[in-house]
Structure formats: structure tokens, C-alpha cells
Amino acid sequence: VAYVSMAHTDSLGLVLAVVQPDLSLRSDGNSLFLWRRQHHWKSMGRLIRGGREPVHIPTLLVEPEGAMLVWKAWVPDGGGQRSEGRLMLDPLGPGPHTVHVIDPDLVPFSNIRSARIAGRQVFITMADENGDSTGHIRFVGVEGNGVRELGRVPNPYQAGFHAASTSPAGLLLNGPLLEFGDSTVVTLLLRIGARCAGQGPRGRDSAVRANLHRQVNP
């Protein structure tokens, strides 16, 4: 087993998303299976075949909008690979299931974070559009049966952000930043705020703004 993510629903009880090879296939890597437990564990079968696009770091969420599954996939790209952020809505339902790409250019070492901002589920990624980890932090919200980018800010981090917390004031990310001139490690706080801009043809529109705060580590 490579990864496990657990959630709870009223109808199914405990649910596990388990990443492992499908042993029924001659060759496979990092497929995703679902298990549920009420009185005992029972397999719900394979949800995603890994194959040439293996599943990494899945997170199973149960939110007011319903269940969601988010993960990283390594995707063949020319002669190499790239890291892609993916989302499946209602993964515990009968299907058919649609996979949504929430970021086609993930920084390889980064994780996908999630938070509720302005009453909606938002996924936060580090986009690597330039191929050198100097892209953007991207905010993608769930909207109806799909997803939509809410906003982005230039990525100030050099090694990814390692924590995310929410409060009534918004979202707080933090991560290290190395000041090469004096070899100082700085903790860079990125405070994200969102506001609801009313109803429009796409429903509720959210704007994202960011403030930077620096704290020097001794």
C-alpha cells in the first residue's frame, strides 16, 4: 500500500481510499481502491486505474457539497512526465465519474491543499508554468458539476508551503524562504482573503487577494 486517506459518511460509515497496485493485472502501479466499514470492512472496488498515470497523495473529503477526491497524477509528457492535480466529485456514488484537472502544471514536490473560503471548497496548488517552480499559487473552486479558477498570486516560495489554516479572516499559508544574501531562513506568511461578489451568469463569484508577511527565524 502506497497511500491511504480516510473519511466518514452517514450512509457508508468509515471509508478508505487506498492506493496500491491492482494485483489482477499483469502490470500496474498506484491504482486507487475504495473500502467501507460499518460492521466490517468491505471492498467497494477499484475507482481509478493507475497504469501510466499513477495516483499519488490522495485526499478523500466529505463536504457540504458532497464527497470529493483529490490527488496528484504523474502524466506522460513528451519524453518525460509532469505532475497534474486532479479532482473527482461524488467518488462514492455509482458513477460514471468525471475527472477534473485542477492544475495541469503542479510543482513536482508540492501537495494540493484545500480549505473553505467564502462558503465554498477551494483547492490551493503551486503551478509550475515556467518549469522552474517560479509560477503561481492557484486557487480553484468547486462550482456545480465542475471547477473554476478563482484567482492566482505569484508564488513567493522556494520550497513549497507546508501549512494551511483557515479563520474568519481568510486563509493563512506559510513556508520557508531563503535569503541568499545573508543566509537567513525566513518564514513567509501568505494571508489569503476572499469575498463574494454576488450572483452572476456563473453563480457566485469570488475574488482572491493576498498579503505577505515575513517573520525572520533565529
Side-chain angles (χ1 to χ4, degrees):
V1 175
Y3 305 98
V4 175
S5 180
M6 181 172 64
H8 180 274
T9 71
D10 293 337
S11 59
L12 298 175
L14 287 176
V15 180
L16 291 180
V18 178
V19 175
Q20 65 181 60
D22 188 339
L23 300 180
S24 68
L25 301 175
R26 177 177 299 179
S27 176
D28 186 50
N30 284 33
S31 290
L32 188 140
F33 297 80
L34 294 177
W35 292 76
R36 65 183 176 93
R37 179 183 175 89
Q38 290 176 318
H39 303 293
H40 59 274
W41 287 107
K42 180 179 180 181
S43 173
M44 298 173 63
R46 188 184 71 194
L47 181 65
I48 303 168
R49 180 178 176 182
R52 299 184 62 203
E53 300 181 355
V55 176
H56 291 271
I57 318 179
T59 302
L60 184 61
L61 302 168
V62 178
E63 300 294 341
E65 298 92 335
M68 307 177 193
L69 178 69
V70 61
W71 71 97
K72 290 174 62 175
W74 285 102
V75 181
D77 186 15
Q81 289 183 316
R82 59 182 170 82
S83 183
E84 187 172 274
R86 295 181 174 182
L87 172 71
M88 182 183 293
L89 302 177
D90 194 25
L92 307 180
H97 299 101
T98 301
V99 175
H100 303 277
V101 176
I102 58 177
D103 197 326
D105 301 297
L106 281 179
V107 172
F109 57 77
S110 68
N111 293 333
I112 302 169
R113 307 292 182 179
S114 66
R116 294 197 69 78
I117 303 177
R120 72 164 71 191
Q121 194 67 24
V122 176
F123 297 95
I124 307 109
T125 67
M126 290 181 68
D128 193 21
E129 305 103 319
N130 303 322
D132 58 3
S133 304
T134 61
H136 291 81
I137 295 180
R138 184 177 291 164
F139 303 88
V140 178
V142 175
E143 187 171 276
N145 295 322
V147 296
R148 182 169 68 90
E149 183 175 312
L150 303 178
R152 61 175 67 187
V153 296
N155 178 17
Y157 298 116
Q158 295 163 328
F161 53 87
H162 301 287
S165 61
T166 56
S167 71
L171 174 71
L172 185 67
L173 308 179
N174 73 45
L177 182 66
L178 178 62
E179 299 285 6
F180 291 100
D182 54 7
S183 298
T184 302
V185 176
V186 175
T187 297
L188 186 64
L189 303 180
L190 180 62
R191 189 181 303 278
I192 308 297
R195 59 182 176 82
C196 182
Q199 299 291 332
R202 292 186 176 183
R204 191 171 48 189
D205 292 327
S206 295
V208 175
R209 64 183 185 277
N211 294 309
L212 297 179
H213 304 272
R214 293 189 176 202
Q215 172 184 323
V216 178
N217 294 333

